[in-house]
Amino acid sequence: MAATAVLATAAIAGTVAITPQASAAATATYNGVCGTGYKVVNSAPIGSKGTVFLTYNSAKGKNCVVTVRNATGKPVPMFAYLYVQGADESAEDGGAYTSYAGPVYGDGRGKCVDWAGGIENQSTWTYGSNCGSLTAHRVTKGW
């Protein structure tokens, strides 16, 4: 399953931002498990297996991360991770899941966050993103 992506290279501090585009193949969608008031502010594909979503609740000042598989099935190793920079606060959920890992929460109001998700042998890590902004900005490393 091939996903189409647009690669935009930013001259600012040598960062790379990857913006996924719609693909003809089935892709994961945010499932709402973070709760009422959480809106998707960023996301990253996890190879061909799913997507990790960063959400934010403006009223609570909280971020939430959830990793969602493209298709449910037998339990496989998955994780969702969130680290709030400058607050020394992190949260992780990992285990064998059929459809999603997480949600995990952190108080990200006005702070940059690192977030990640993994499904089986594929993962993606995003560092220093959003930084008190609802604008998607990230430096992503996929493995």
Side-chain angles (χ1 to χ4, degrees), residues 11-109:
I12 303 168
T15 62
V16 174
I18 300 173
T19 305
Q21 289 183 335
S23 163
T27 58
T29 57
Y30 173 62
N31 57 8
V33 298
C34 290
T36 304
Y38 284 87
K39 305 288 185 215
V40 174
V41 293
N42 218 328
S43 65
I46 303 171
S48 62
K49 303 200 181 261
T51 304
V52 57
F53 296 94
L54 174 68
T55 68
Y56 185 72
N57 183 313
S58 297
K60 295 180 179 181
K62 297 258 185 200
N63 283 104
C64 175
V65 173
V66 62
T67 298
V68 182
R69 288 171 64 176
N70 286 342
T72 60
K74 68 177 179 78
V76 296
M78 297 177 64
F79 74 89
Y81 171 81
L82 174 65
Y83 175 76
V84 180
Q85 294 183 3
D88 199 27
E89 178 185 343
S90 67
E92 183 174 6
D93 176 49
Y97 298 113
T98 60
S99 59
Y100 68 91
V104 294
Y105 300 90
D107 187 357
R109 188 184 309 267

